[in-house]
Amino acid sequence: MAPLKILMVASEVAPLAKTGGLADMVSGLSSALSDLGHDVRIVFPRYPSVSSQAHRVESVHSLLVEDGGRVRSSTVERIWLRSAADASKPRPAFFAIRQDDYFGRRGIYQESGRDYPDNLARFAYFCRAVLDLVVVWQRKEGWVPDVLHAHDWQGGLIPIYLRSQYASRGFAATVRTVLTLHNVGYQGIFPAAQFPLLGLDANYFAPHGLEFYGSLNLLKGGILFADFLTTVSPTYCREIQTSEFGFGLEGVLGERRDRMVGIVNGIDTDTWNPETDPLLPANYSARNLDGKATCKNALQRECGFPAGGTPLLAVVSRLVSQKGIDLVVGATPSFLKDGAQLVVLGTGEAEVEADLRMLEQRHSDSVRVMINFDEGLAHRIQAGADMFLVPSRYEPCGLTQLCSLRYGTVPIVRRTGGLADTVVGFSDTDALVGNATGFVFDPPSSDALGTSVGLALSKFRDPEVWSSLMLAGMRREVGWAEPAKQYVDVYRGTIGRK
């Protein structure tokens, strides 16, 4: 089959602009699609962070974009990255929409914990600028995407604009839109009074459009108007069609169930590779685990713990309620009695951070809490810990448990979303045949987490069983090669539909 032309549109992309897993997904999937021979272009807003990460920046186009009844100019910049894993391989092309009034700010979505009040105008402008750029590419290069793949509420207007303001453009009839829902808890909800900023006909502000309980909901609009929807795991795809996880959109999502699928994210297996990771004190692999013990001893010393065989548990996470950090706080005293140690890295809600600091004060000899984010330390924790805790209340996909599998650090997770899809819970039978890769619990409670940790600690004392768990996880395919093939199937299937 002929290669596809794919336009990836997102509010962030690693390593140029990142606040979370969205940026990693866009970068990883795009690279894997390029590896499969497809022509991939990525468009994102040009933030100040780009300057420190780019190898070269070139202004390639100028745009005049409609913006709330007036016209605002912007520049399209081609971005070359500082490094690439293999310069001989085809790579995605990065393009940034530069409009400094909107995007030349310290933050991507907010500052000091507060959303920018003009976020609707910012990302409506971005969506129109993307489609104006397609107009330019068609005129100057004859390049029109087969698929326009947008992400989250920030890209939710693209399917709507393509069918309305850009419907008369020649490419509108052939381009298919795919919208990926990374976390439906974030929907882009704005006051109805701001609807005129979008430049859309009033009939789009309706129950079967952008209207949502009297407000404006960009994610809802994208869900209704995109040709196809994806989520970041099969279980999460099912969960968001329920009232518990749908955040009010479960009915709309249920209407689109025949055009929605869940595909588990991958991770960058070049960056997350214990055999070659330059951030580790020692390297190791499934063939030779010796370096893992060196990493553990080094991490214990870094935390101020006695080095040795004491089981070391870890959390690397945003410190927020969704991630179940309060469950960790509640369960920790029980597993410390079994002689375990705990290290936590992350930042988040002030109350959660305060609870963790109090936990550390009460158990200073066996609990270490680092309220910051340090990429090198995140790698050292993944390599040095024995067990990795991910007790999320909900988790669309999750990436840290994929990293822990890769590093032979056995995950202990709650059975939800992508955690349920990526970790095979322990049973004597699964462990015997090498299928089990971790421990899974169900109720979102400290008791349930503590029971699961207790089981893990008991198995940790059996070197043969523990080695089987580690190796099963390390041998699991967690990269982007297979998910990219599934996305290609989605693209081709969407192109084939009318």
Side-chain angles (χ1 to χ4, degrees), residues 272-275 277-285 289-300 312 314 316 343 375-388 400 403-410 470 474:
W272 292 99
N273 184 355
E275 193 167 7
D277 192 336
L279 300 175
L280 305 185
N283 294 116
Y284 59 95
S285 69
L289 288 169
D290 292 346
K292 176 106 174 134
T294 302
C295 291
K296 178 178 178 179
N297 290 338
L299 179 60
Q300 287 174 313
L312 178 57
V316 178
V343 56
E375 185 73 18
L377 180 55
H379 282 244
R380 296 194 297 276
I381 290 173
Q382 285 283 11
D386 295 302
M387 305 169 206
F388 197 86
T400 55
C403 298
S404 74
L405 290 169
R406 179 90 162 141
Y407 279 61
T409 301
V410 177
M470 292 172 62
M474 295 181 77

Side-chain angles (χ1 to χ4, degrees), residues 172-468:
T174 61
V175 174
R176 294 293 178 262
T177 55
V178 173
L179 179 67
T180 292
L181 313 175
H182 294 260
N183 187 337
V184 299
Y186 300 92
Q187 300 179 7
I189 298 176
F190 300 93
Q194 294 187 27
F195 178 77
L197 292 174
L198 303 183
L200 291 168
D201 189 276
N203 61 15
Y204 284 93
F205 189 73
H208 205 71
L210 290 157
E211 190 272 335
F212 184 72
Y213 297 102
S215 295
L216 179 63
N217 188 319
L218 300 193
L219 187 65
K220 179 190 174 189
I223 289 169
L224 288 171
F225 284 87
D227 292 310
F228 205 88
L229 306 171
T230 71
T231 69
V232 290
S233 70
T235 295
Y236 188 61
C237 185
R238 295 190 294 272
E239 287 177 339
I240 60 176
Q241 297 177 58
T242 69
S243 58
E244 183 178 3
F245 297 100
F247 291 92
L249 292 178
E250 57 272 11
V252 175
L253 290 161
E255 291 179 19
R256 303 298 318 272
R257 66 170 61 91
D258 63 329
R259 295 204 176 194
M260 180 168 62
V261 67
I263 300 173
V264 173
N265 282 344
I267 59 172
D268 183 338
T269 52
D270 292 325
T271 298
W272 292 99
N273 184 355
E275 193 167 7
T276 59
D277 192 336
L279 300 175
L280 305 185
N283 294 116
Y284 59 95
S285 69
R287 298 184 303 277
N288 184 350
L289 288 169
D290 292 346
K292 176 106 174 134
T294 302
C295 291
K296 178 178 178 179
N297 290 338
L299 179 60
Q300 287 174 313
R301 288 191 294 270
E302 187 172 357
C303 293
F305 300 151
T310 301
L312 178 57
L313 285 72
V315 173
V316 178
S317 174
R318 287 188 296 115
L319 305 180
V320 297
S321 176
Q322 177 213 326
K323 298 295 184 178
I325 306 303
D326 57 311
L327 308 186
V328 176
V329 173
T332 295
S334 68
F335 60 72
L336 292 184
K337 291 177 182 177
D338 289 334
Q341 301 163 338
L342 173 68
V343 56
V344 179
L345 174 65
T347 62
E349 297 168 355
E351 183 177 350
V352 176
E353 291 179 359
D355 288 344
L356 285 167
R357 288 194 179 98
M358 183 65 70
L359 181 71
E360 181 182 44
Q361 289 174 11
R362 291 173 177 167
H363 306 279
S364 58
D365 58 339
S366 51
V367 175
R368 193 65 63 240
V369 177
M370 288 90 156
I371 305 296
N372 59 61
F373 186 76
D374 180 321
E375 185 73 18
L377 180 55
H379 282 244
R380 296 194 297 276
I381 290 173
Q382 285 283 11
D386 295 302
M387 305 169 206
F388 197 86
L389 306 180
V390 194
S392 303
R393 284 184 163 78
Y394 72 94
E395 192 64 65
C397 179
L399 298 178
T400 55
Q401 85 280 6
L402 299 178
C403 298
S404 74
L405 290 169
R406 179 90 162 141
Y407 279 61
T409 301
V410 177
I412 301 172
V413 307
R414 183 165 175 263
R415 196 187 313 274
T416 185
L419 303 178
D421 293 325
T422 56
V423 178
V424 179
F426 179 88
S427 70
D428 290 328
T429 300
D430 281 320
L432 185 66
V433 298
N435 286 339
T437 59
F439 297 84
V440 182
F441 66 98
D442 286 287
S445 69
S446 294
D447 287 345
L449 172 59
T451 299
S452 194
V453 171
L455 176 60
L457 291 173
S458 71
K459 301 305 174 183
F460 179 77
R461 301 184 186 102
D462 186 330
E464 184 177 351
V465 171
W466 199 255
S467 177
S468 173

Side-chain angles (χ1 to χ4, degrees), residues 176 259 489-498:
R176 294 293 178 262
R259 295 204 176 194
D489 289 341
V490 166
Y491 298 154
R492 294 198 185 280
T494 303
I495 292 168
R497 294 188 182 191
K498 293 185 179 180

Side-chain angles (χ1 to χ4, degrees), residues 9-12 19 22 43-47 65-67 97 99 102-103 105 107-110 115-131 151-158 161 188 190 194 197-198 218:
V9 180
S11 56
E12 52 187 273
T19 66
L22 165 63
V43 182
F44 64 103
R46 209 294 198 177
Y47 309 105
V65 183
E66 182 185 341
D67 180 35
I97 304 295
Q99 214 305 311
Y102 279 151
F103 305 116
R105 306 177 184 181
I108 291 181
Y109 312 115
Q110 57 177 226
D115 289 349
Y116 291 123
D118 60 347
N119 272 346
L120 178 64
R122 295 172 74 223
F123 290 103
Y125 180 90
F126 171 62
C127 290
R128 281 191 294 259
V130 169
L131 294 171
H151 296 262
D152 278 350
W153 69 262
Q154 294 88 354
L157 285 168
I158 283 182
Y161 282 143
F190 300 93
Q194 294 187 27
L197 292 174
L198 303 183
L218 300 193

